[in-house]
């Protein structure tokens, strides 16, 4: 396993996940209401920033690796899934939205793995819709974690709207990826 700064940043993102979850399980005397939400928001934002930074540094320093290419999306999906589950548990997110987003991530990850196995991984490369979906999701989650109004802005309402946008784009991008993979799926069936 290669060990470099980009991979260490990815590992940091994975380590931050249980820390964010633990905030909601420690005794109330340790971290109270808003402090808990603020700390969870900051942890998520730092984790999301490492997602951008590890990719940037890996490309800039030419430290890309097969292990890093595997670990980075796993860390991303774990981070988002954990945050969504926490938000459902807190009553700030409808479970249906969490299932849509997490279910899509699992489906597309499996599809990408299968497409790579048959040599057609370029057919399911990240699309612009997928990038916009990720951006909406990565802005919505910290807003929902933060929860409290900020400078007169209803953070929770904005986060709720953005997570609905992310859910719609989730379904749209899943349809796009499935449509791109469909000819390969048909071809594989014919070869059997």
């Amino acid at each position: 396993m290669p060990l470099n700064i980009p991979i260490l940043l990815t590992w940091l993102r994975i380590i931050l996940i249980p820390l964010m979850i633990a905030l909601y399980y420690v005794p109330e005397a340790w971290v109270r209401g808003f402090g808990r939400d603020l700390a969870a928001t900051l942890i998520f934002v730092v984790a999301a920033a490492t997602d951008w930074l590890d990719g940037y540094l890996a490309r800039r320093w030419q430290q890309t690796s097969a292990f890093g290419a595997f670990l980075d999306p796993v860390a991303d999906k774990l981070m988002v899934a954990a945050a969504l589950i926490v938000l459902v548990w807190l009553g700030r997110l409808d479970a249906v939205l969490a299932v849509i987003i997490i279910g899509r991530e699992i489906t597309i990850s499996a599809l990408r793995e299968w497409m790579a196995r048959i040599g057609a991984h370029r057919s399911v490369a990240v699309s612009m819709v997928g990038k916009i979906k990720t951006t909406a999701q990565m802005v919505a989650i910290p807003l929902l974690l933060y929860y409290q109004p900020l400078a007169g802005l209803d953070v929770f309402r904005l986060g709720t709207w953005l997570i609905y946008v992310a859910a719609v784009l989730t379904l749209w991008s899943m349809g796009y990826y499935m449509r791109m993979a469909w000819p390969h799926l048909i071809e594989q069936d014919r070869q059997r």
Side-chain angles (χ1 to χ4, degrees):
M1 172 181 77
L3 200 55
N4 54 39
I5 299 295
I7 288 179
L8 288 174
L9 287 170
T10 303
W11 279 115
L12 173 63
R13 189 160 66 254
I14 292 171
I15 290 167
L16 288 174
I17 296 166
L19 182 60
M20 180 187 66
I21 294 169
L23 282 169
Y24 292 98
Y25 285 92
V26 297
E28 183 79 21
W30 292 10
V31 185
R32 297 192 186 273
F34 174 68
R36 190 177 300 228
D37 291 340
L38 178 61
T41 303
L42 291 174
I43 289 169
F44 186 87
V45 168
V46 167
T50 67
D51 180 27
W52 173 82
L53 185 60
D54 66 13
Y56 172 78
L57 293 176
R59 287 184 299 277
R60 180 158 175 109
W61 294 343
Q62 297 178 349
Q63 293 182 341
T64 58
S65 67
F67 182 72
F70 156 75
L71 190 62
D72 184 64
V74 169
D76 298 345
K77 285 155 186 48
L78 287 173
M79 178 181 70
V80 168
L84 293 174
I85 291 167
V86 165
L87 289 168
V88 169
W89 181 72
L90 292 170
R92 299 178 190 174
L93 178 66
D94 192 319
V96 171
L97 294 175
V99 168
I100 288 170
I101 294 169
I102 294 169
R104 180 262 189 206
E105 297 302 334
I106 293 168
T107 302
I108 298 307
S109 291
L111 180 66
R112 283 191 175 127
E113 181 181 331
W114 181 77
M115 294 295 283
R117 192 175 309 152
I118 66 168
H121 65 281
R122 292 191 189 276
S123 297
V124 287
V126 177
S127 71
M128 184 52 73
V129 173
K131 290 179 181 183
I132 294 169
K133 180 264 317 171
T134 299
T135 301
Q137 194 172 271
M138 293 305 209
V139 173
I141 290 171
L143 293 174
L144 293 170
L145 286 169
Y146 188 80
Y147 194 63
Q148 301 298 317
L150 179 65
L153 179 67
D154 188 344
V155 169
F156 179 70
R157 183 177 299 228
L158 179 58
T160 300
W161 279 103
L162 282 172
I163 204 71
Y164 273 97
V165 168
V168 168
L169 292 175
T170 290
L171 294 172
W172 184 358
S173 66
M174 186 168 85
Y176 170 81
Y177 293 127
M178 295 302 284
R179 191 171 58 250
M180 297 305 291
W182 191 254
H184 300 283
L185 294 167
I186 299 299
E187 183 62 29
Q188 287 296 308
D189 277 349
R190 286 184 186 146
Q191 291 177 4
R192 288 181 180 218

